[in-house]
Amino acid sequence: MYIELHARSAFSFLEGSSLPEELIDACAAHNVPAMALLDRDGVYGSPRFHLAANKRNIRAHIGAEVTSTAGWRYPLLVESREGYQNLCRLITQMKLRARKGEGCVRPEEISGMSSGLICLTGGDEGPLAHALAQSGIEMAMECVRQLCRAFGRQNVYVELQRHFCREEEARNQAAVEIARKLKLPLLATNGVSYAQPRQREVLDVFTCLRHHRRLETAGRLLSRNSERHWKPPAEMALLFSDLPEAIVNTEILSARLQFALSDLGYKFPAYPVPDGESQMQFLRRRVHEGMISRYDAHNERARQQIGRELALIEKLDLAGYFLIVWDIIRFCREQNILVQGRGSAANSAVCYALGITAVDPVGMDLLFERFLSEERGEWPDIDLDLPSGDQRERAIQYVYERYGKLGAAMTANVITYRGRSAAREIGKALSFDPETLDRLSSLVGPWEYKDPGDTLDRQFRKAGLDLQHPRVQKFFDLCQAVQDLPRHLGQHSGGMVVCQGQLDSVVPLEPATMPGRVVVQWDKEDCADMGIVKVDLLGLGMMAVLEDSLQIIRKHYGEEIDLGHLPQNDPAVYAALQKADTVGMFQVESRAQMSCLPRLRPKCFYDIVVQVAIIRPGPIVGKMVHPYLQRRQGLEPPECLHPSLEPVLARTLGVPLFQEQLLRMAMIAAGFTGGEAEELRRAMGFKRSEARMKEIEIKLRRGMQAKGITGETQDKIVQSIASFALYGFPESHAASFALIAYASAYLKCRYLAAFTAGMLNNQPMGFYSPATLVKDAQRHGLKCKPIDVTRSDWLCTLEQIPQGLAMRLGMRYVKGLRKEIALEIVRQRDLRKFISIDDLKQRVPEIQKSELAALAEVGALNFVPAKRRFHRRDALWQVERAARRPGPLLEIEETAQESAAVVSPEATINPDGPTASGSPLLPMTAEERLVADFHGTGMTVGPHPMSYRRAEMKSLGIRAAVELATIPDGTLVRVAGAVIARQRPGTAKGFVFLSLEDETGIANVIIMPRLFEREHTVVVHHPFLLIEGRLQNQENVVSVKAESVQPLVITRAEPDSHDFH
Amino acid sequence: MICRRHPNIAREEHAEKGEEFHEFFLPPFHQAAMAFASIFVPNFMVQAVVRAEPALRERALALVDGNPPLCSVVAVSEKAAHAGIECGITKTNAAQFAGVEIRSRSRPQEKTAHAALLDIGWSISPQIEDTTEDTIVLDLSGLGHLFPAVETIATHLARRSAECGLLPNVAVASNVETALIAARGFTGITVIPPGRESEYLRQLPVGVLFPSAETAETLDRWGIRTCGAFAELPVLQLSERLGQEGVRLHALARGTGSRSLVIAEQESSFEEEMELDDAVEELDPLSFLLGRLLDQLCARLTARSLAAAAIRVRFELQPYFENATDSRKELFRQKHSPGLYESKLELPVPVRNSKMLLKLLRLRLQLKPPAAPIQKIALAAESVRPRAMQSGLFLPRFPEPEKLEITIARIANVVGEGNVGSPSLPNTHRPEEFHMERFLACLEDIETKRPQNDVFRLQKQNKHLKVPASFRAFRPPVPAKLELLAGRPVRVVFQGMRGEVLAASGPWRTSGDWWRENSWQQDEWDLEICFHSPSADRGLYRFYYDALRQGWFVRGIYD
């Protein structure tokens, strides 16, 4: 039996064109019991290879092709765990000292780390071929001898590959001669680069991408033929019929390779505890301290729950893990970094007591098994939300420092070829011109909802490409063939893995593009599959907003806000939520949320938890939103799927809304254990496990049958679980988010100025553009002041005005202005006021003309001359002069003038030079100012563009957004405004939702699929729209169901729209 | 603007049609110090095509350009623009618009349209400037004796243009720049009297001054939209802000240009034609005529200190008649445009020796004779600067390039045009692929251009490999029949010979160019064959199976 022991997958990045699973599929199709994967300089694809092989009962041998300094590649196979560790270390060493994507090993490194590894002499790129080509057979023999010295004679195999190529056969003859002389075993391989012959085309395209060539010019870089596909044993046996021992040896060698990835030897690091104390004892003490501060000392339920959890933690030997996460939390607290655990960790009372999470799982009756169970046999998953940006980076660096460079790393993120990237790169290789490729890329729909007709071939046709043309057809086929193949390795945004000091012996490490970061070669899923514990340090924009807002409140209001102790049940917060007045509030600001809030009318914290969880694809697809709202409003009675499920579903009126509920349903209705229930969730939520899901469904039905739940009820329960599992929120996660949502709502209602500044300083984030946030704040009474170089900082700030606090826009909103320039302006301004634009230019000499012009255009320089106010065009006129450096003679003259002005600021010199007294230019009109504001800052603090045309709008019978709530349901109305959001959610069957903003508020518009199809261009491209349609007012949810859509010319300014969420 | 009815020649007619005719009180022409007329053909690419096909004037027309299948629209007529077609969309997209004619952009027609534009200018004044492809400027000074007023000239130019199938804007002004700006800015005929340029230009958008992108952006920021607004800015302060460009544009906006014309040479192309009363059939009399034309051509080139880099030959042939019996000629007629013979003689070095050119032309005509008697001859020279070269004193003498070219042409005459030169291996795995390149002058170049052949290198480095010394390729390959046993050849038949395969090595498989129509997929075998002949000859041959043509061939023999 022939076994393929030298194969590359697409994880060799542009040197292979099949996924590891496809290679395993090929083996399985011919009942081949084993295969080896040797990707280039890494084990990137090995977890997927291993998992796919396990499923098919195939042995997955691991190895890698390792590049040497001499230019060849050692094909190395792992025989034992020691070999695997050596391979990982070898790759880590070479990677960490080189730039990303490069690196090679030195011969002396090989000999030091060869134990447990088997070396083949390789194919085209192997050491033998290299030596033969360079120096002839004698040197080739010497090269093989060296390999024997490095790896041991018994661990070197002379490799033969046959791809029907003369040169290769000549090399094979030499190799056989060498093997006979040195008495080494021969080994047949096919140097596989793809599973199927047709994938050679993809490999050729990849070769072009690797060498930055086109197919037309790649010439001999391309494959000579299509023979590097996986070949069945019979074919290989025929090919090597003259050398049968080469085939037999593959089976013998395969039997020698005992290592499998399930035997990784990964150990989680131990947390250093004081002498004489075990980790568990230390953890118990920390939990006990936390329990006292978090719970009432007599809370028996909490005590019991914590006791149960600690027992399980001890049993599973997870104390170290909890302590390590607790340590990160402790660091953040000490450094005043906001941090909060999210996800299933919030189900744990231990996490709550340790301060990892902020939701009381006992009080909320959350299911601990969702977080941790004995059956599952995997590490718990704790995700921590941190303020995005520098603060999160500090926490990450702390973990690096604490566990060392080889003890902690980020998980990778495998970037794959998707629609646009595939079309662009393949098009380039096929010599299509850039304009066509741009057009094609722009046609790949960004909507979440994919029109069934919006296929790749339609996009090709729309881009003007004729699919009848063979070259275009080939382009199209290749685009489809490369979908989902890995392209390169990125870095996951927050996933960190830690190990007992030796992470590099578990998985190779690589440098990340970001300095100071190290990345493992596996992605998050792979790490989880391989049982490596990870902590997600996620950046959450809203956490940064909260943190910034607290600082601003401290500075300007003189108040200290503790987010852990916000006043509960603040009436202003609930009033705003019930009115859906939630622009900027975390998780409840989207259009869908806004259309639900007036019906759900949250009255307490738990209502917010429900609100966060209900607008999710799970409940929406499962058609659970409507029944829940009906029952909540008393319009229909609460009804459980089965009487036995009442304790689980009573809280949500008989409607399952949270993942925990489905777990409990499975436990009650089908007698699942906690672990089995969690396995059910994972199976249903995990794309790769469809077969597993089927198995579990059978088990679920069997369990229900045993409990006497049959027929329709059984079907209903199965269906509600199935539709929900993939997209639902865990209750604990919803509760964690609800806490943040409440905090953001509270700050917005009580400290609008600080909250708005915080929001604007952390853009981009959230659902709305800065322009909408500003307009919303203004409608709530906040005075927003324009950018002014004499007052604005880089960030938005607050200023005291007679009526209270006003918000000053920061210079970060001036498009094209560099941060360092803005900071220098602020520094110079603090030293001494600017007396003219020339003065500013002279004191901030790095400022470019375009930056000065951008400032002038948005009016930021209007206030520079203290005595006489400029208009924007005056400033623009001066900017042109200031930006042109005068000759040396005039420069001396001007410097003298400036010095005189500095010595005597009251002197009556004309600061703008001898000829400039103002400008000959006319001031900007209101329309021009509006255009300049949107062009230069993306927003305006002046009147809303619609307000200039209100009288005209009235004459056309157009209603203001604020009026809509007072109009009876079913009335034919006309509304108009700036489109601030366009949505086509995946769950809405092609309906498009628009938010139209005018000076009074936001109007919601629903566009039916047919109207959208007809008016596609108008809806998608026009910034201002006039909509005519029937007003729908259902339980205070007001929207207009459009019957006609017209573009409206309001201004040349183009407000941003946040589309395609 | 195109496809509009152009203003008629006389002012009254303009008035009748309600079209624009901008006129001011003018002094008598002979009193005017200087006057320039600019002719600008808007939407030039479209006009050039419509000129050759006037029926298109009333249709919506889109012109496409680019390499198929990726053609995109490069120009549209006014009607097509109204229909919603925009430049940049693909041909496939444009084809979806109903009632739109799609034509390819025609550079030859643009060239002739431009030549016609120059002719229109030269018909009035010898002093013309060939400003751009779509614009010329005429110096009208001294024409006072021929024309009573400048407006008559403008009208005359418009009429001439209309006769040539072009609908231009014509503007007359006292300086070149103003004339150019007015022609671009105003449709129809515009006559600007001296001293009132600024007044007249003030309504035009500032873009007609062609400011640089940076300046245009600054003016836009300043809110300066018209030439009038720009002209009002103080020039000194403007110069501080926009530098010399600002001063220049300011002068243009005020209509105070001062540049002089760059007079175009009348003979910019070197073409000679001769129509024959009686069609010529024999080479000798044709050579005589060609010699005469070449003499003239070379004399003109010499006078301008130029030489020919290539000679284009164009013969109009006598039409065939029904009684033509030569089927080969019929085929010829089907393949090419009827009655035309075209050939281009590329020269290795610039030449103006008419005798040498004649020799080369004769050889070309012998190699590729015209299919019918010739009734019109046209020769055109592509002119370049002549070669100036001095050989090194101690360098070996190479043959003179001119003589070498004649020798090569003679050889080509015998062996065929594509079979002379230096063979080179292209960068491909395709077996036996080679190109013939023109002989290179420098040996070093040849060395550097020779591709590295892995087989040769391997052979050199691996002495133990017994690769035969040489291989003789059969061109074209010889069809063969092979008998296979268990996938390996055992018997062969080719060129009437039969043989047994004594030893077979292979298959050596190659395939490639899968993205093209001429992809290939071949299995080669090296076979030692013992032929069924009395002497039992043996030989080592290379056979291959062409999987796409599904046949066996002999590629060659190892010597």
Side-chain angles (χ1 to χ4, degrees), chain A residues 91 229 383 390:
Chain A
I91 295 172
H229 60 95
D383 299 341
D390 295 346

Side-chain angles (χ1 to χ4, degrees), chain A residues 245-277:
Chain A
E245 75 268 32
I247 297 287
V248 173
N249 283 341
T250 61
E251 205 170 352
I252 296 169
L253 179 55
S254 170
R256 273 184 68 184
L257 304 177
Q258 286 305 309
F259 175 78
L261 266 192
S262 42
D263 182 28
L264 264 186
Y266 169 75
K267 271 191 198 155
F268 191 70
Y271 184 79
V273 289
D275 288 344
E277 202 172 20

Side-chain angles (χ1 to χ4, degrees), chain B residues 22 38 40 169-173 176-192 200-201 204 208:
Chain B
H22 313 280
S38 175
F40 166 66
N169 299 335
V170 181
V172 178
V176 179
E177 292 90 333
T178 306
L180 276 168
I181 291 167
R184 287 205 163 92
F186 298 110
T187 51
I189 295 171
T190 309
V191 179
I192 303 175
Y200 202 65
L201 296 183
L204 289 179
V208 296

